[in-house]
Protein backbone atom coordinates (compact mmCIF):
# COMPACT_ATOMS: atom_id res chain seq x y z
CA UNK A 1 0.00 0.00 0.00
CA UNK A 2 2.80 2.43 0.82
CA UNK A 3 4.50 1.92 -2.54
CA UNK A 4 1.31 2.63 -4.48
CA UNK A 5 0.63 5.90 -2.62
CA UNK A 6 4.22 7.13 -2.62
CA UNK A 7 4.99 10.09 -4.87
CA UNK A 8 7.43 9.97 -7.78
CA UNK A 9 10.29 11.46 -5.75
CA UNK A 10 9.97 8.78 -3.07
CA UNK A 11 9.86 6.02 -5.68
CA UNK A 12 12.96 7.44 -7.32
CA UNK A 13 14.78 7.55 -4.00
CA UNK A 14 13.93 3.96 -3.12
CA UNK A 15 14.48 2.49 -6.60
CA UNK A 16 18.19 1.78 -6.16
CA UNK A 17 21.19 2.79 -4.13
CA UNK A 18 22.74 4.34 -7.25
CA UNK A 19 19.96 6.92 -7.47
CA UNK A 20 21.03 8.52 -4.18
CA UNK A 21 23.44 11.32 -4.90
CA UNK A 22 25.59 11.65 -1.81
CA UNK A 23 27.87 14.29 -3.30
CA UNK A 24 25.04 16.66 -4.24
CA UNK A 25 23.49 16.69 -0.76
CA UNK A 26 20.05 17.72 -1.98
CA UNK A 27 17.58 18.37 0.81
CA UNK A 28 14.64 16.77 -1.03
CA UNK A 29 16.29 13.33 -1.34
CA UNK A 30 16.02 10.51 1.15
CA UNK A 31 19.02 8.82 2.70
CA UNK A 32 19.20 5.24 3.89
CA UNK A 33 20.80 6.05 7.21
CA UNK A 34 22.00 8.84 9.42
CA UNK A 35 25.57 7.94 8.46
CA UNK A 36 24.95 8.99 4.87
CA UNK A 37 23.34 12.22 6.03
CA UNK A 38 26.28 12.94 8.34
CA UNK A 39 28.69 12.21 5.48
CA UNK A 40 26.83 14.62 3.20
CA UNK A 41 26.80 17.34 5.85
CA UNK A 42 30.52 16.89 6.46
CA UNK A 43 31.19 17.08 2.71
CA UNK A 44 29.10 20.24 2.42
CA UNK A 45 30.91 21.79 5.39
CA UNK A 46 34.27 20.86 3.85
CA UNK A 47 33.30 22.41 0.50
CA UNK A 48 32.07 25.56 2.27
CA UNK A 49 35.36 25.91 4.17
CA UNK A 50 37.34 25.37 0.95
CA UNK A 51 35.29 28.09 -0.74
CA UNK A 52 35.92 30.49 2.13
CA UNK A 53 39.64 29.69 1.98
CA UNK A 54 39.69 30.40 -1.76
CA UNK A 55 38.02 33.77 -1.16
CA UNK A 56 40.61 34.60 1.50
CA UNK A 57 43.42 33.75 -0.92
CA UNK A 58 41.79 35.86 -3.62
CA UNK A 59 41.51 38.84 -1.29
CA UNK A 60 45.02 38.53 0.14
CA UNK A 61 46.80 37.72 -3.12
CA UNK A 62 44.90 39.86 -5.62
CA UNK A 63 42.59 42.49 -4.18
CA UNK A 64 44.76 43.90 -1.39
CA UNK A 65 47.83 44.44 -3.62
CA UNK A 66 45.72 46.03 -6.37
CA UNK A 67 43.98 48.37 -3.92
CA UNK A 68 47.31 49.17 -2.25
CA UNK A 69 48.90 49.97 -5.59
CA UNK A 70 45.99 52.24 -6.53
CA UNK A 71 46.00 54.03 -3.15
CA UNK A 72 49.79 54.41 -3.26
CA UNK A 73 49.64 56.06 -6.64
CA UNK A 74 46.86 58.40 -5.54
CA UNK A 75 48.74 59.28 -2.34
CA UNK A 76 52.02 59.92 -4.16
CA UNK A 77 50.23 62.11 -6.71
CA UNK A 78 48.60 64.10 -3.92
CA UNK A 79 51.94 64.50 -2.11
CA UNK A 80 53.74 65.62 -5.26
CA UNK A 81 51.02 68.17 -5.99
CA UNK A 82 51.27 69.44 -2.40
CA UNK A 83 55.07 69.68 -2.74
CA UNK A 84 54.72 71.71 -5.94
CA UNK A 85 52.22 74.09 -4.30
CA UNK A 86 53.77 74.52 -0.83
CA UNK A 87 57.40 73.46 -1.07
CA UNK A 88 59.10 71.31 1.53
CA UNK A 89 58.68 73.61 4.53
CA UNK A 90 56.60 73.45 7.67
CA UNK A 91 53.42 74.18 5.70
CA UNK A 92 53.95 70.95 3.77
CA UNK A 93 53.91 68.86 6.95
CA UNK A 94 51.58 70.89 9.19
CA UNK A 95 49.24 72.64 6.77
CA UNK A 96 48.86 76.35 6.18
CA UNK A 97 46.61 77.13 9.15
CA UNK A 98 48.56 75.16 11.76
CA UNK A 99 51.93 76.38 10.48
CA UNK A 100 50.78 79.98 10.95
CA UNK A 101 50.13 79.35 14.67
CA UNK A 102 53.40 77.57 15.37
CA UNK A 103 56.36 79.96 15.61
CA UNK A 104 59.24 77.62 14.75
CA UNK A 105 62.17 78.74 12.67
CA UNK A 106 61.92 77.32 9.19
CA UNK A 107 65.51 76.03 9.36
CA UNK A 108 64.54 73.37 11.94
CA UNK A 109 61.90 71.75 9.72
CA UNK A 110 63.48 72.28 6.31
Amino acid sequence: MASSTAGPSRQRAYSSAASISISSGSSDGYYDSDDELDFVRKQQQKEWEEGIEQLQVLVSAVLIPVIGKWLGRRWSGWLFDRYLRLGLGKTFFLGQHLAAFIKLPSSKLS
Side-chain angles (χ1 to χ4, degrees), residues 8-26:
S9 64
R10 188 177 291 223
Q11 289 174 352
R12 250 185 311 192
Y14 289 128
S15 64
S16 69
S19 68
I20 298 174
S21 176
I22 293 176
S23 63
S24 70
S26 61

Side-chain angles (χ1 to χ4, degrees), residues 12 16 31-33 35 37 45-46 50 78-79 81 90 98 107:
R12 250 185 311 192
S16 69
Y31 299 103
D32 291 337
S33 67
D35 293 336
L37 186 59
Q45 182 66 28
K46 184 179 176 184
E50 287 175 0
W78 178 79
L79 284 176
D81 181 50
K90 61 183 173 182
L98 188 60
S107 63

Side-chain angles (χ1 to χ4, degrees), residues 58-77:
L58 175 72
V59 167
S60 65
V62 176
L63 292 178
I64 290 176
V66 168
I67 292 171
K69 185 177 183 179
W70 180 75
L71 287 175
R73 289 180 177 177
R74 301 245 330 164
W75 180 257
S76 66

Side-chain angles (χ1 to χ4, degrees), residues 90-91 94-104:
K90 61 183 173 182
T91 56
L94 303 175
Q96 292 175 345
H97 300 293
L98 188 60
F101 290 115
I102 297 176
K103 306 273 192 269
L104 292 176

Side-chain angles (χ1 to χ4, degrees), residues 26-45:
S26 61
S27 61
D28 61 343
Y30 295 97
Y31 299 103
D32 291 337
S33 67
D34 289 336
D35 293 336
E36 289 179 6
L37 186 59
D38 290 340
F39 177 76
V40 169
R41 287 183 180 156
K42 287 178 184 177
Q43 285 296 109
Q44 289 174 343
Q45 182 66 28

